[in-house]
Amino acid sequence: MIRLKTAAELASMRRACEVSAGALAAGGAAVRPGATTKDVDDAVEAYIRSHGGIPNFKGYNGFPAAACVSVGDTVIHGIPAKSHVLQEGDIVSIDTGAIVEGFHGDNAYTFPCGAISPGAEHLLRTTRASLFAAIAAAQPGARIGDIGHAVQSYVEAEGYSVVRDFVGHGVGAELHEAPEVPNFGRAGHGARLVPGMTLAIEPMINEKGAAIHILNDGWTVKTKDGGLSAHFEHTVLITAEGPEILTQWQVDPWNS
Ligand code: MG
């Protein structure tokens, strides 16, 4: 069942999403050569707690950290570690969110670590742009398939692949609610979008093939072929006037 949010619930969700966006920026500010992925997670968790939130990923199905920090060919669900030192040229996806007043925010961004290759930069810019194409498609009266179609057509035109094994989702009182929001699909198909829906739209895009594999830690999702992967996510509210981004990023290196 898709749960539409009341005005009071949306007031709480807005606060949760604001803290989530701040946490993402705090994590991004910690990305630098020589830092560890644990440093990034520490910055995220400190931000969330100091702003009255609870890290929603920590303990979720046993996940041990406040942020997923996924480097290079890691698609999603990278576990932060003191032993993982970031290198110049890495691409670093941070996915995190906060619970505030019982509601969840969820957002992700792929940051550059120092100077990155032109190929990596193109992947990040394209994946970011596909998210905004998807959000533009999330109009009241449109369908879930319109969102996926927007992502898929945008990135496949650049020769990239859409990850099929993981998808976006509704978000609200639970981190993951109905409906699923795939990053592929057919325009005009799927559930209809109506005002009051809150969706986490999150393209996960691979430089080469779409296939993934999961490491023995049970979490880390990598590309099967070792190609790079990027991930950008916003929590979006469907309103009568159109989509509204609730997790406005405070830093956005690829906004040009
Ligand atoms: Mg999500």
Side-chain angles (χ1 to χ4, degrees):
M1 191 190 76
I2 299 174
R3 290 189 249 178
L4 305 182
K5 277 68 181 183
T6 66
E9 290 172 337
L10 286 171
S12 296
M13 267 203 81
R14 286 178 193 285
R15 286 189 272 276
C17 287
E18 195 178 338
V19 174
S20 301
L24 190 60
V31 171
R32 65 175 71 91
T36 72
T37 54
K38 178 71 162 63
D39 295 331
V40 174
D41 183 60
D42 287 346
V44 166
E45 180 160 0
Y47 185 96
I48 292 172
R49 295 199 187 279
S50 68
H51 288 76
I54 299 165
N56 51 12
F57 288 18
K58 199 163 193 176
Y60 187 87
N61 292 335
F63 190 77
C68 300
V69 184
S70 305
V71 180
D73 66 347
T74 298
V75 180
I76 51 171
H77 299 170
I79 299 173
K82 276 183 188 164
S83 58
H84 190 152
V85 179
L86 297 174
Q87 312 288 328
E88 178 93 17
D90 280 341
I91 59 171
V92 183
S93 300
I94 303 174
D95 187 357
T96 192
I99 306 167
V100 176
E101 298 166 13
F103 284 83
H104 292 255
D106 191 5
N107 62 175
Y109 199 99
T110 305
F111 294 93
C113 184
I116 65 173
S117 72
E121 178 169 337
H122 189 66
L123 174 67
L124 301 194
R125 287 186 183 281
T126 302
T127 305
R128 179 190 176 285
S130 78
L131 170 60
F132 287 99
I135 293 169
Q139 300 293 334
R143 293 182 182 272
I144 287 290
D146 295 318
I147 295 174
H149 177 75
V151 173
Q152 183 178 9
S153 55
Y154 194 95
V155 304
E156 288 184 351
E158 298 291 332
Y160 297 139
S161 301
V162 174
V163 172
R164 300 295 204 277
D165 303 76
F166 297 90
V167 296
H169 50 92
V171 56
E174 306 290 339
L175 177 57
H176 296 113
E177 297 185 349
E180 291 193 340
V181 185
N183 297 302
F184 53 92
R186 291 165 65 195
H189 287 256
R192 199 173 284 284
L193 306 182
V194 299
M197 279 186 183
T198 44
L199 304 175
I201 301 176
E202 51 177 322
M204 292 157 248
I205 305 302
N206 293 351
E207 183 186 26
K208 299 178 187 169
I212 55 94
H213 70 112
I214 301 176
L215 299 189
N216 289 335
D217 62 21
W219 283 107
T220 311
V221 177
K222 286 186 172 281
T223 60
K224 205 160 197 172
D225 57 22
L228 295 174
S229 189
H231 183 207
F232 290 76
E233 177 181 29
H234 269 310
T235 297
V236 175
L237 166 67
I238 310 302
T239 80
E241 288 75 43
E244 179 189 343
I245 295 170
L246 299 183
T247 44
Q248 285 291 351
W249 295 322
Q250 298 172 12
V251 292
D252 189 0
W254 308 119
N255 184 21
S256 65

